[in-house]
Amino acid sequence: MKKILFLMLMLLAAVSLYGKPKYVFLFIGDGMAMPQRMVAEDFSRSTGKGCLEINNFPYHGTTRTKSAGDLITDSAAAATAIACGEKTKNGRLGISADGKRKLESVAKVAKRNGKKVGIITSVTINHATPGGFYANRMSRGEYYEIGLDLIASGFDYFGGGAVAKPDDKKSPLYRGNIYTLAQKAGYTVVSDRAGLMALKPGGKVLARGTDGYLPGYIDRKYYPEVPTLADFTAKGIELLDNPNGFFMMVESGAIDLAGHANEAATNLFEVLALDEAVKVALKFAEKHPDETLIVVTGDHETGGMTMGFAGSGYTMHVERLALQKCSLGQFKTFMKNAKKEAEKSGKSFTFDDAKKLLNQYFSFEFSGNSPMRVSGADEELLKSYFQQGKLEVGARIVMSRKAGIGWTSGGHTAMPVSTTSYGAGAKMFTGFYENTDIAKKLKSVL
């Protein structure tokens, strides 16, 4: 009890010292720790675009990510810690470690205190990280039930990816399609760029850019009609701005997906997508310099990304990742289409045909002296994966080698993450602390 009272007094003192923001932005890179930030940073610098805004913030902290009982967290437990301020077991959302209590998130505190609330993500809106801010469920896999919690939250703006399993009739709580239920609860539901851009302030909104995840940021040129994370953030500011202020959580969720796949180029582009969204918040902060707090963190690291490995010879060439023209998923689509075209012509799709696609989308050279020349061993590796029907796997291995990036895992790791902050109250986020402290600090100012 004394420890809790001491912490409360310290937080109140911090609010008095650093100010109480009217507008609070929390940006979360799912799977983003220091390696992901720095690979994207070096890429941005090497391609002439300068440093990332998320790394240029004046205040830096280091955040420990373990969950209750496990050194390595999943996204649900991490989201609960960051949103609610209490550790829980992996897989749970807004539920205590003993499974007996519902936890209150910082977003709910903001709403209860008269602020508007927005939740944005590049993955599905009832995925683990966004769900941590409005749901109370024993399992992150209860997508339909999490969708019901979304509606019940009454939050003002949900944007980004679609609702996963919106019409799951197998759910014991099934009441109808989530989108239909949202409309009945007073939400305006939009499903494309035109609908998003036409929205005006007033009323609650559930906006999606696709029927699943947003396309990878590296693939945005193939999907110009789909809004980006920055677009959803800008519209969120427009819809949420009011005299009482707002709280907005924005997640770049696909950093994690690329980390699981050990896909370097796609990974860094998702960090860049987050940075572009942060730039939108910074532009808003310029108009409200004494009233805006921006915090950027990660929920955990994914992939065990390293900058360099034993075979890289103390060199890195992250700029070469600019030569990759699409994500692995998009490349698989291009491969599938190329095979269909070959079949229509009565031909078989050979490895020589695949090499042309590898040159087109990864800039791999199979002759000459280019830095992107594929070695004999790497060509054999690519051929082997082609024969297995997994050419994209071979491509991402060779691309990481060319860039000098190593990977130690296909899952999460226990590495701490970097937390950076800007604006009113930002100094509170310096030092070394638990991820639960992020929620506690935010609740103190909300």
Side-chain angles (χ1 to χ4, degrees), residues 28-33 36-37 54 122-123 229 251-263 266-275 297 300 302-303 305 407:
I28 301 176
D30 195 316
M32 183 183 75
Q36 287 77 14
R37 282 181 177 240
I54 61 174
S122 58
V123 295
L229 203 63
E251 181 207 19
S252 183
I255 300 171
D256 177 67
L257 303 179
H260 282 294
N262 292 173
E263 190 179 350
T266 301
N267 190 291
L268 77 86
F269 270 93
E270 294 306 314
V271 177
L272 296 179
L274 182 69
D275 200 62
T297 193
H300 53 73
T302 305
M305 177 186 271
W407 302 89

PDB file of all heavy atoms in Angstrom, residues 28-33 36-37 54 122-123 229 251-263 266-275 297 300 302-303 305 407:
ATOM      1  N   ILE A  28       2.618   2.905 -31.229  1.00  0.00           N
ATOM      2  CA  ILE A  28       3.206   1.615 -30.885  1.00  0.00           C
ATOM      3  C   ILE A  28       3.655   0.891 -32.158  1.00  0.00           C
ATOM      4  O   ILE A  28       2.849   0.665 -33.059  1.00  0.00           O
ATOM      5  CB  ILE A  28       2.219   0.721 -30.123  1.00  0.00           C
ATOM      6  CG1 ILE A  28       1.767   1.404 -28.823  1.00  0.00           C
ATOM      7  CG2 ILE A  28       2.846  -0.645 -29.823  1.00  0.00           C
ATOM      8  CD1 ILE A  28       0.700   0.627 -28.057  1.00  0.00           C
ATOM      9  N   GLY A  29       4.933   0.546 -32.199  1.00  0.00           N
ATOM     10  CA  GLY A  29       5.438  -0.297 -33.270  1.00  0.00           C
ATOM     11  C   GLY A  29       5.408  -1.729 -32.779  1.00  0.00           C
ATOM     12  O   GLY A  29       6.197  -2.107 -31.904  1.00  0.00           O
ATOM     13  N   ASP A  30       4.508  -2.540 -33.305  1.00  0.00           N
ATOM     14  CA  ASP A  30       4.414  -3.931 -32.865  1.00  0.00           C
ATOM     15  C   ASP A  30       5.632  -4.695 -33.388  1.00  0.00           C
ATOM     16  O   ASP A  30       5.836  -4.795 -34.594  1.00  0.00           O
ATOM     17  CB  ASP A  30       3.135  -4.566 -33.405  1.00  0.00           C
ATOM     18  CG  ASP A  30       2.790  -5.863 -32.706  1.00  0.00           C
ATOM     19  OD1 ASP A  30       3.694  -6.678 -32.483  1.00  0.00           O
ATOM     20  OD2 ASP A  30       1.605  -6.066 -32.382  1.00  0.00           O
ATOM     21  N   GLY A  31       6.452  -5.212 -32.465  1.00  0.00           N
ATOM     22  CA  GLY A  31       7.669  -5.911 -32.872  1.00  0.00           C
ATOM     23  C   GLY A  31       8.860  -4.996 -33.075  1.00  0.00           C
ATOM     24  O   GLY A  31       9.887  -5.419 -33.600  1.00  0.00           O
ATOM     25  N   MET A  32       8.743  -3.733 -32.642  1.00  0.00           N
ATOM     26  CA  MET A  32       9.778  -2.728 -32.893  1.00  0.00           C
ATOM     27  C   MET A  32      10.605  -2.438 -31.652  1.00  0.00           C
ATOM     28  O   MET A  32      10.114  -1.897 -30.666  1.00  0.00           O
ATOM     29  CB  MET A  32       9.144  -1.422 -33.386  1.00  0.00           C
ATOM     30  CG  MET A  32      10.149  -0.335 -33.733  1.00  0.00           C
ATOM     31  SD  MET A  32       9.366   1.226 -34.232  1.00  0.00           S
ATOM     32  CE  MET A  32       8.787   1.857 -32.634  1.00  0.00           C
ATOM     33  N   ALA A  33      11.879  -2.797 -31.691  1.00  0.00           N
ATOM     34  CA  ALA A  33      12.840  -2.428 -30.656  1.00  0.00           C
ATOM     35  C   ALA A  33      13.919  -1.570 -31.321  1.00  0.00           C
ATOM     36  O   ALA A  33      13.730  -1.062 -32.427  1.00  0.00           O
ATOM     37  CB  ALA A  33      13.418  -3.675 -29.998  1.00  0.00           C
ATOM     38  N   GLN A  36      15.102  -2.451 -35.107  1.00  0.00           N
ATOM     39  CA  GLN A  36      14.163  -2.045 -36.161  1.00  0.00           C
ATOM     40  C   GLN A  36      14.212  -0.537 -36.381  1.00  0.00           C
ATOM     41  O   GLN A  36      14.170  -0.065 -37.525  1.00  0.00           O
ATOM     42  CB  GLN A  36      12.739  -2.482 -35.787  1.00  0.00           C
ATOM     43  CG  GLN A  36      12.469  -3.962 -35.907  1.00  0.00           C
ATOM     44  CD  GLN A  36      13.050  -4.797 -34.772  1.00  0.00           C
ATOM     45  OE1 GLN A  36      13.448  -4.266 -33.721  1.00  0.00           O
ATOM     46  NE2 GLN A  36      13.075  -6.107 -34.943  1.00  0.00           N
ATOM     47  N   ARG A  37      14.295   0.211 -35.294  1.00  0.00           N
ATOM     48  CA  ARG A  37      14.405   1.669 -35.417  1.00  0.00           C
ATOM     49  C   ARG A  37      15.679   2.067 -36.159  1.00  0.00           C
ATOM     50  O   ARG A  37      15.668   2.959 -37.013  1.00  0.00           O
ATOM     51  CB  ARG A  37      14.418   2.313 -34.019  1.00  0.00           C
ATOM     52  CG  ARG A  37      13.072   2.430 -33.336  1.00  0.00           C
ATOM     53  CD  ARG A  37      13.266   3.103 -31.981  1.00  0.00           C
ATOM     54  NE  ARG A  37      12.029   3.333 -31.263  1.00  0.00           N
ATOM     55  CZ  ARG A  37      11.575   4.527 -30.887  1.00  0.00           C
ATOM     56  NH1 ARG A  37      12.252   5.614 -31.216  1.00  0.00           N
ATOM     57  NH2 ARG A  37      10.454   4.640 -30.203  1.00  0.00           N
ATOM     58  N   ILE A  54      10.874   9.666 -35.040  1.00  0.00           N
ATOM     59  CA  ILE A  54      10.709   8.920 -33.786  1.00  0.00           C
ATOM     60  C   ILE A  54      12.017   8.775 -33.028  1.00  0.00           C
ATOM     61  O   ILE A  54      12.016   8.601 -31.810  1.00  0.00           O
ATOM     62  CB  ILE A  54      10.090   7.528 -34.036  1.00  0.00           C
ATOM     63  CG1 ILE A  54      10.977   6.674 -34.943  1.00  0.00           C
ATOM     64  CG2 ILE A  54       8.692   7.650 -34.609  1.00  0.00           C
ATOM     65  CD1 ILE A  54      10.491   5.251 -35.100  1.00  0.00           C
ATOM     66  N   SER A 122      -2.666  -0.692 -38.435  1.00  0.00           N
ATOM     67  CA  SER A 122      -2.499  -1.133 -39.824  1.00  0.00           C
ATOM     68  C   SER A 122      -2.903  -2.586 -39.999  1.00  0.00           C
ATOM     69  O   SER A 122      -2.958  -3.086 -41.122  1.00  0.00           O
ATOM     70  CB  SER A 122      -1.045  -0.942 -40.272  1.00  0.00           C
ATOM     71  OG  SER A 122      -0.157  -1.660 -39.437  1.00  0.00           O
ATOM     72  N   VAL A 123      -3.195  -3.280 -38.893  1.00  0.00           N
ATOM     73  CA  VAL A 123      -3.702  -4.653 -38.975  1.00  0.00           C
ATOM     74  C   VAL A 123      -5.185  -4.625 -38.614  1.00  0.00           C
ATOM     75  O   VAL A 123      -5.808  -3.575 -38.634  1.00  0.00           O
ATOM     76  CB  VAL A 123      -2.888  -5.611 -38.075  1.00  0.00           C
ATOM     77  CG1 VAL A 123      -1.455  -5.716 -38.590  1.00  0.00           C
ATOM     78  CG2 VAL A 123      -2.885  -5.167 -36.616  1.00  0.00           C
ATOM     79  N   LEU A 229      -1.450   4.587 -42.870  1.00  0.00           N
ATOM     80  CA  LEU A 229      -1.531   4.851 -41.434  1.00  0.00           C
ATOM     81  C   LEU A 229      -1.534   6.358 -41.172  1.00  0.00           C
ATOM     82  O   LEU A 229      -2.256   6.845 -40.305  1.00  0.00           O
ATOM     83  CB  LEU A 229      -0.339   4.185 -40.736  1.00  0.00           C
ATOM     84  CG  LEU A 229      -0.483   3.867 -39.247  1.00  0.00           C
ATOM     85  CD1 LEU A 229      -1.602   2.856 -39.014  1.00  0.00           C
ATOM     86  CD2 LEU A 229       0.835   3.327 -38.704  1.00  0.00           C
ATOM     87  N   GLU A 251      -1.096   2.148 -34.022  1.00  0.00           N
ATOM     88  CA  GLU A 251      -0.195   0.999 -34.086  1.00  0.00           C
ATOM     89  C   GLU A 251       0.232   0.693 -35.515  1.00  0.00           C
ATOM     90  O   GLU A 251      -0.607   0.591 -36.408  1.00  0.00           O
ATOM     91  CB  GLU A 251      -0.866  -0.250 -33.517  1.00  0.00           C
ATOM     92  CG  GLU A 251       0.051  -1.467 -33.543  1.00  0.00           C
ATOM     93  CD  GLU A 251      -0.668  -2.805 -33.619  1.00  0.00           C
ATOM     94  OE1 GLU A 251      -1.857  -2.832 -34.007  1.00  0.00           O
ATOM     95  OE2 GLU A 251      -0.035  -3.835 -33.299  1.00  0.00           O
ATOM     96  N   SER A 252       1.542   0.536 -35.704  1.00  0.00           N
ATOM     97  CA  SER A 252       2.055  -0.044 -36.951  1.00  0.00           C
ATOM     98  C   SER A 252       2.230  -1.531 -36.671  1.00  0.00           C
ATOM     99  O   SER A 252       3.263  -1.983 -36.181  1.00  0.00           O
ATOM    100  CB  SER A 252       3.383   0.599 -37.352  1.00  0.00           C
ATOM    101  OG  SER A 252       3.830   0.079 -38.596  1.00  0.00           O
ATOM    102  N   GLY A 253       1.191  -2.301 -36.967  1.00  0.00           N
ATOM    103  CA  GLY A 253       1.144  -3.693 -36.558  1.00  0.00           C
ATOM    104  C   GLY A 253       1.939  -4.653 -37.403  1.00  0.00           C
ATOM    105  O   GLY A 253       2.315  -5.741 -36.953  1.00  0.00           O
ATOM    106  N   ALA A 254       2.215  -4.259 -38.663  1.00  0.00           N
ATOM    107  CA  ALA A 254       2.864  -5.201 -39.580  1.00  0.00           C
ATOM    108  C   ALA A 254       4.383  -5.249 -39.436  1.00  0.00           C
ATOM    109  O   ALA A 254       5.031  -6.065 -40.091  1.00  0.00           O
ATOM    110  CB  ALA A 254       2.482  -4.875 -41.022  1.00  0.00           C
ATOM    111  N   ILE A 255       4.963  -4.389 -38.586  1.00  0.00           N
ATOM    112  CA  ILE A 255       6.388  -4.541 -38.262  1.00  0.00           C
ATOM    113  C   ILE A 255       6.593  -5.940 -37.692  1.00  0.00           C
ATOM    114  O   ILE A 255       7.551  -6.642 -38.027  1.00  0.00           O
ATOM    115  CB  ILE A 255       6.839  -3.485 -37.231  1.00  0.00           C
ATOM    116  CG1 ILE A 255       6.620  -2.071 -37.771  1.00  0.00           C
ATOM    117  CG2 ILE A 255       8.314  -3.682 -36.867  1.00  0.00           C
ATOM    118  CD1 ILE A 255       6.842  -0.977 -36.726  1.00  0.00           C
ATOM    119  N   ASP A 256       5.672  -6.347 -36.859  1.00  0.00           N
ATOM    120  CA  ASP A 256       5.718  -7.667 -36.229  1.00  0.00           C
ATOM    121  C   ASP A 256       5.627  -8.784 -37.267  1.00  0.00           C
ATOM    122  O   ASP A 256       6.375  -9.762 -37.211  1.00  0.00           O
ATOM    123  CB  ASP A 256       4.568  -7.780 -35.230  1.00  0.00           C
ATOM    124  CG  ASP A 256       4.485  -9.144 -34.576  1.00  0.00           C
ATOM    125  OD1 ASP A 256       5.397  -9.487 -33.816  1.00  0.00           O
ATOM    126  OD2 ASP A 256       3.502  -9.866 -34.830  1.00  0.00           O
ATOM    127  N   LEU A 257       4.722  -8.640 -38.224  1.00  0.00           N
ATOM    128  CA  LEU A 257       4.549  -9.677 -39.240  1.00  0.00           C
ATOM    129  C   LEU A 257       5.823  -9.850 -40.048  1.00  0.00           C
ATOM    130  O   LEU A 257       6.250 -10.981 -40.333  1.00  0.00           O
ATOM    131  CB  LEU A 257       3.388  -9.306 -40.170  1.00  0.00           C
ATOM    132  CG  LEU A 257       2.027  -9.066 -39.512  1.00  0.00           C
ATOM    133  CD1 LEU A 257       0.998  -8.681 -40.561  1.00  0.00           C
ATOM    134  CD2 LEU A 257       1.575 -10.289 -38.738  1.00  0.00           C
ATOM    135  N   ALA A 258       6.445  -8.735 -40.419  1.00  0.00           N
ATOM    136  CA  ALA A 258       7.695  -8.799 -41.185  1.00  0.00           C
ATOM    137  C   ALA A 258       8.829  -9.359 -40.335  1.00  0.00           C
ATOM    138  O   ALA A 258       9.730 -10.027 -40.853  1.00  0.00           O
ATOM    139  CB  ALA A 258       8.058  -7.413 -41.714  1.00  0.00           C
ATOM    140  N   GLY A 259       8.791  -9.102 -39.027  1.00  0.00           N
ATOM    141  CA  GLY A 259       9.794  -9.661 -38.141  1.00  0.00           C
ATOM    142  C   GLY A 259       9.678 -11.170 -38.045  1.00  0.00           C
ATOM    143  O   GLY A 259      10.679 -11.890 -38.086  1.00  0.00           O
ATOM    144  N   HIS A 260       8.437 -11.663 -37.924  1.00  0.00           N
ATOM    145  CA  HIS A 260       8.226 -13.104 -37.894  1.00  0.00           C
ATOM    146  C   HIS A 260       8.748 -13.762 -39.176  1.00  0.00           C
ATOM    147  O   HIS A 260       9.267 -14.875 -39.144  1.00  0.00           O
ATOM    148  CB  HIS A 260       6.738 -13.420 -37.729  1.00  0.00           C
ATOM    149  CG  HIS A 260       6.227 -13.271 -36.337  1.00  0.00           C
ATOM    150  ND1 HIS A 260       6.638 -14.073 -35.312  1.00  0.00           N
ATOM    151  CD2 HIS A 260       5.324 -12.399 -35.813  1.00  0.00           C
ATOM    152  CE1 HIS A 260       6.005 -13.715 -34.190  1.00  0.00           C
ATOM    153  NE2 HIS A 260       5.211 -12.702 -34.466  1.00  0.00           N
ATOM    154  N   ALA A 261       8.585 -13.064 -40.301  1.00  0.00           N
ATOM    155  CA  ALA A 261       9.012 -13.601 -41.599  1.00  0.00           C
ATOM    156  C   ALA A 261      10.480 -13.315 -41.887  1.00  0.00           C
ATOM    157  O   ALA A 261      11.000 -13.771 -42.910  1.00  0.00           O
ATOM    158  CB  ALA A 261       8.151 -13.006 -42.712  1.00  0.00           C
ATOM    159  N   ASN A 262      11.165 -12.568 -40.980  1.00  0.00           N
ATOM    160  CA  ASN A 262      12.572 -12.170 -41.196  1.00  0.00           C
ATOM    161  C   ASN A 262      12.721 -11.430 -42.517  1.00  0.00           C
ATOM    162  O   ASN A 262      13.673 -11.639 -43.272  1.00  0.00           O
ATOM    163  CB  ASN A 262      13.499 -13.386 -41.168  1.00  0.00           C
ATOM    164  CG  ASN A 262      13.617 -14.034 -39.811  1.00  0.00           C
ATOM    165  OD1 ASN A 262      14.226 -15.093 -39.678  1.00  0.00           O
ATOM    166  ND2 ASN A 262      13.047 -13.432 -38.777  1.00  0.00           N
ATOM    167  N   GLU A 263      11.785 -10.562 -42.777  1.00  0.00           N
ATOM    168  CA  GLU A 263      11.723  -9.833 -44.047  1.00  0.00           C
ATOM    169  C   GLU A 263      12.192  -8.395 -43.822  1.00  0.00           C
ATOM    170  O   GLU A 263      11.423  -7.532 -43.397  1.00  0.00           O
ATOM    171  CB  GLU A 263      10.291  -9.875 -44.576  1.00  0.00           C
ATOM    172  CG  GLU A 263      10.132  -9.378 -45.982  1.00  0.00           C
ATOM    173  CD  GLU A 263       8.702  -9.459 -46.475  1.00  0.00           C
ATOM    174  OE1 GLU A 263       7.861 -10.081 -45.790  1.00  0.00           O
ATOM    175  OE2 GLU A 263       8.434  -8.897 -47.536  1.00  0.00           O
ATOM    176  N   THR A 266      10.523  -5.097 -45.916  1.00  0.00           N
ATOM    177  CA  THR A 266       9.150  -4.843 -45.497  1.00  0.00           C
ATOM    178  C   THR A 266       9.108  -4.343 -44.065  1.00  0.00           C
ATOM    179  O   THR A 266       8.328  -3.445 -43.726  1.00  0.00           O
ATOM    180  CB  THR A 266       8.311  -6.123 -45.645  1.00  0.00           C
ATOM    181  OG1 THR A 266       8.337  -6.534 -47.011  1.00  0.00           O
ATOM    182  CG2 THR A 266       6.874  -5.896 -45.230  1.00  0.00           C
ATOM    183  N   ASN A 267       9.951  -4.888 -43.215  1.00  0.00           N
ATOM    184  CA  ASN A 267      10.032  -4.474 -41.820  1.00  0.00           C
ATOM    185  C   ASN A 267      10.351  -2.991 -41.703  1.00  0.00           C
ATOM    186  O   ASN A 267       9.650  -2.236 -41.023  1.00  0.00           O
ATOM    187  CB  ASN A 267      11.091  -5.322 -41.111  1.00  0.00           C
ATOM    188  CG  ASN A 267      11.083  -5.132 -39.608  1.00  0.00           C
ATOM    189  OD1 ASN A 267      11.451  -4.078 -39.111  1.00  0.00           O
ATOM    190  ND2 ASN A 267      10.679  -6.156 -38.873  1.00  0.00           N
ATOM    191  N   LEU A 268      11.395  -2.567 -42.369  1.00  0.00           N
ATOM    192  CA  LEU A 268      11.802  -1.165 -42.224  1.00  0.00           C
ATOM    193  C   LEU A 268      10.771  -0.218 -42.826  1.00  0.00           C
ATOM    194  O   LEU A 268      10.571   0.893 -42.330  1.00  0.00           O
ATOM    195  CB  LEU A 268      13.195  -0.930 -42.811  1.00  0.00           C
ATOM    196  CG  LEU A 268      13.388  -0.830 -44.315  1.00  0.00           C
ATOM    197  CD1 LEU A 268      13.167   0.583 -44.842  1.00  0.00           C
ATOM    198  CD2 LEU A 268      14.790  -1.277 -44.681  1.00  0.00           C
ATOM    199  N   PHE A 269      10.091  -0.659 -43.893  1.00  0.00           N
ATOM    200  CA  PHE A 269       9.063   0.203 -44.478  1.00  0.00           C
ATOM    201  C   PHE A 269       7.877   0.376 -43.544  1.00  0.00           C
ATOM    202  O   PHE A 269       7.242   1.443 -43.532  1.00  0.00           O
ATOM    203  CB  PHE A 269       8.618  -0.339 -45.839  1.00  0.00           C
ATOM    204  CG  PHE A 269       9.442   0.201 -46.990  1.00  0.00           C
ATOM    205  CD1 PHE A 269      10.548  -0.489 -47.450  1.00  0.00           C
ATOM    206  CD2 PHE A 269       9.125   1.411 -47.578  1.00  0.00           C
ATOM    207  CE1 PHE A 269      11.324   0.005 -48.487  1.00  0.00           C
ATOM    208  CE2 PHE A 269       9.887   1.924 -48.620  1.00  0.00           C
ATOM    209  CZ  PHE A 269      10.988   1.224 -49.080  1.00  0.00           C
ATOM    210  N   GLU A 270       7.573  -0.632 -42.733  1.00  0.00           N
ATOM    211  CA  GLU A 270       6.498  -0.477 -41.752  1.00  0.00           C
ATOM    212  C   GLU A 270       6.899   0.487 -40.640  1.00  0.00           C
ATOM    213  O   GLU A 270       6.067   1.202 -40.088  1.00  0.00           O
ATOM    214  CB  GLU A 270       6.108  -1.840 -41.180  1.00  0.00           C
ATOM    215  CG  GLU A 270       5.467  -2.782 -42.191  1.00  0.00           C
ATOM    216  CD  GLU A 270       4.270  -2.180 -42.901  1.00  0.00           C
ATOM    217  OE1 GLU A 270       3.403  -1.584 -42.237  1.00  0.00           O
ATOM    218  OE2 GLU A 270       4.196  -2.307 -44.144  1.00  0.00           O
ATOM    219  N   VAL A 271       8.198   0.518 -40.308  1.00  0.00           N
ATOM    220  CA  VAL A 271       8.692   1.530 -39.360  1.00  0.00           C
ATOM    221  C   VAL A 271       8.578   2.916 -39.985  1.00  0.00           C
ATOM    222  O   VAL A 271       8.184   3.884 -39.314  1.00  0.00           O
ATOM    223  CB  VAL A 271      10.145   1.234 -38.949  1.00  0.00           C
ATOM    224  CG1 VAL A 271      10.678   2.336 -38.025  1.00  0.00           C
ATOM    225  CG2 VAL A 271      10.258  -0.116 -38.250  1.00  0.00           C
ATOM    226  N   LEU A 272       8.896   3.018 -41.274  1.00  0.00           N
ATOM    227  CA  LEU A 272       8.748   4.294 -41.975  1.00  0.00           C
ATOM    228  C   LEU A 272       7.289   4.743 -42.005  1.00  0.00           C
ATOM    229  O   LEU A 272       6.992   5.933 -41.886  1.00  0.00           O
ATOM    230  CB  LEU A 272       9.284   4.190 -43.403  1.00  0.00           C
ATOM    231  CG  LEU A 272      10.787   3.923 -43.563  1.00  0.00           C
ATOM    232  CD1 LEU A 272      11.152   3.831 -45.038  1.00  0.00           C
ATOM    233  CD2 LEU A 272      11.620   4.999 -42.878  1.00  0.00           C
ATOM    234  N   ALA A 273       6.364   3.783 -42.147  1.00  0.00           N
ATOM    235  CA  ALA A 273       4.938   4.114 -42.132  1.00  0.00           C
ATOM    236  C   ALA A 273       4.543   4.709 -40.791  1.00  0.00           C
ATOM    237  O   ALA A 273       3.765   5.674 -40.720  1.00  0.00           O
ATOM    238  CB  ALA A 273       4.107   2.865 -42.421  1.00  0.00           C
ATOM    239  N   LEU A 274       5.085   4.135 -39.715  1.00  0.00           N
ATOM    240  CA  LEU A 274       4.833   4.679 -38.381  1.00  0.00           C
ATOM    241  C   LEU A 274       5.396   6.085 -38.263  1.00  0.00           C
ATOM    242  O   LEU A 274       4.749   6.996 -37.728  1.00  0.00           O
ATOM    243  CB  LEU A 274       5.459   3.772 -37.324  1.00  0.00           C
ATOM    244  CG  LEU A 274       5.241   4.188 -35.861  1.00  0.00           C
ATOM    245  CD1 LEU A 274       3.787   4.013 -35.464  1.00  0.00           C
ATOM    246  CD2 LEU A 274       6.132   3.388 -34.920  1.00  0.00           C
ATOM    247  N   ASP A 275       6.595   6.278 -38.770  1.00  0.00           N
ATOM    248  CA  ASP A 275       7.236   7.590 -38.704  1.00  0.00           C
ATOM    249  C   ASP A 275       6.429   8.638 -39.469  1.00  0.00           C
ATOM    250  O   ASP A 275       6.327   9.787 -39.023  1.00  0.00           O
ATOM    251  CB  ASP A 275       8.659   7.503 -39.261  1.00  0.00           C
ATOM    252  CG  ASP A 275       9.537   8.647 -38.795  1.00  0.00           C
ATOM    253  OD1 ASP A 275       9.755   8.751 -37.568  1.00  0.00           O
ATOM    254  OD2 ASP A 275       9.998   9.439 -39.642  1.00  0.00           O
ATOM    255  N   THR A 297       6.633   3.945 -28.695  1.00  0.00           N
ATOM    256  CA  THR A 297       7.240   2.782 -28.064  1.00  0.00           C
ATOM    257  C   THR A 297       7.017   1.542 -28.917  1.00  0.00           C
ATOM    258  O   THR A 297       6.419   1.609 -29.997  1.00  0.00           O
ATOM    259  CB  THR A 297       6.682   2.581 -26.634  1.00  0.00           C
ATOM    260  OG1 THR A 297       7.486   1.642 -25.927  1.00  0.00           O
ATOM    261  CG2 THR A 297       5.246   2.109 -26.654  1.00  0.00           C
ATOM    262  N   HIS A 300       7.245  -5.191 -28.052  1.00  0.00           N
ATOM    263  CA  HIS A 300       8.284  -6.219 -27.898  1.00  0.00           C
ATOM    264  C   HIS A 300       9.113  -6.217 -29.170  1.00  0.00           C
ATOM    265  O   HIS A 300       8.771  -5.538 -30.144  1.00  0.00           O
ATOM    266  CB  HIS A 300       7.673  -7.611 -27.672  1.00  0.00           C
ATOM    267  CG  HIS A 300       6.666  -7.988 -28.726  1.00  0.00           C
ATOM    268  ND1 HIS A 300       7.023  -8.328 -30.020  1.00  0.00           N
ATOM    269  CD2 HIS A 300       5.314  -8.049 -28.679  1.00  0.00           C
ATOM    270  CE1 HIS A 300       5.950  -8.586 -30.723  1.00  0.00           C
ATOM    271  NE2 HIS A 300       4.885  -8.414 -29.938  1.00  0.00           N
ATOM    272  N   THR A 302      10.600  -8.468 -32.413  1.00  0.00           N
ATOM    273  CA  THR A 302      10.272  -9.678 -33.160  1.00  0.00           C
ATOM    274  C   THR A 302      11.357  -9.996 -34.179  1.00  0.00           C
ATOM    275  O   THR A 302      11.750  -9.129 -34.964  1.00  0.00           O
ATOM    276  CB  THR A 302       8.933  -9.534 -33.900  1.00  0.00           C
ATOM    277  OG1 THR A 302       7.905  -9.183 -32.967  1.00  0.00           O
ATOM    278  CG2 THR A 302       8.548 -10.832 -34.591  1.00  0.00           C
ATOM    279  N   GLY A 303      11.813 -11.233 -34.170  1.00  0.00           N
ATOM    280  CA  GLY A 303      12.751 -11.700 -35.182  1.00  0.00           C
ATOM    281  C   GLY A 303      14.201 -11.757 -34.746  1.00  0.00           C
ATOM    282  O   GLY A 303      15.028 -12.354 -35.427  1.00  0.00           O
ATOM    283  N   MET A 305      16.305  -9.292 -34.829  1.00  0.00           N
ATOM    284  CA  MET A 305      17.035  -8.573 -35.887  1.00  0.00           C
ATOM    285  C   MET A 305      18.378  -8.061 -35.373  1.00  0.00           C
ATOM    286  O   MET A 305      18.471  -7.526 -34.272  1.00  0.00           O
ATOM    287  CB  MET A 305      16.201  -7.400 -36.406  1.00  0.00           C
ATOM    288  CG  MET A 305      16.900  -6.551 -37.453  1.00  0.00           C
ATOM    289  SD  MET A 305      15.944  -5.077 -37.924  1.00  0.00           S
ATOM    290  CE  MET A 305      14.961  -5.722 -39.261  1.00  0.00           C
ATOM    291  N   TRP A 407      19.245 -12.400 -38.466  1.00  0.00           N
ATOM    292  CA  TRP A 407      18.045 -12.722 -37.692  1.00  0.00           C
ATOM    293  C   TRP A 407      18.351 -13.903 -36.781  1.00  0.00           C
ATOM    294  O   TRP A 407      19.038 -14.830 -37.195  1.00  0.00           O
ATOM    295  CB  TRP A 407      16.873 -13.079 -38.613  1.00  0.00           C
ATOM    296  CG  TRP A 407      16.503 -12.011 -39.584  1.00  0.00           C
ATOM    297  CD1 TRP A 407      17.007 -11.834 -40.848  1.00  0.00           C
ATOM    298  CD2 TRP A 407      15.557 -10.950 -39.386  1.00  0.00           C
ATOM    299  NE1 TRP A 407      16.430 -10.738 -41.442  1.00  0.00           N
ATOM    300  CE2 TRP A 407      15.530 -10.176 -40.577  1.00  0.00           C
ATOM    301  CE3 TRP A 407      14.724 -10.589 -38.325  1.00  0.00           C
ATOM    302  CZ2 TRP A 407      14.712  -9.069 -40.722  1.00  0.00           C
ATOM    303  CZ3 TRP A 407      13.901  -9.481 -38.477  1.00  0.00           C
ATOM    304  CH2 TRP A 407      13.900  -8.742 -39.657  1.00  0.00           C
TER     305      TRP A 407
END
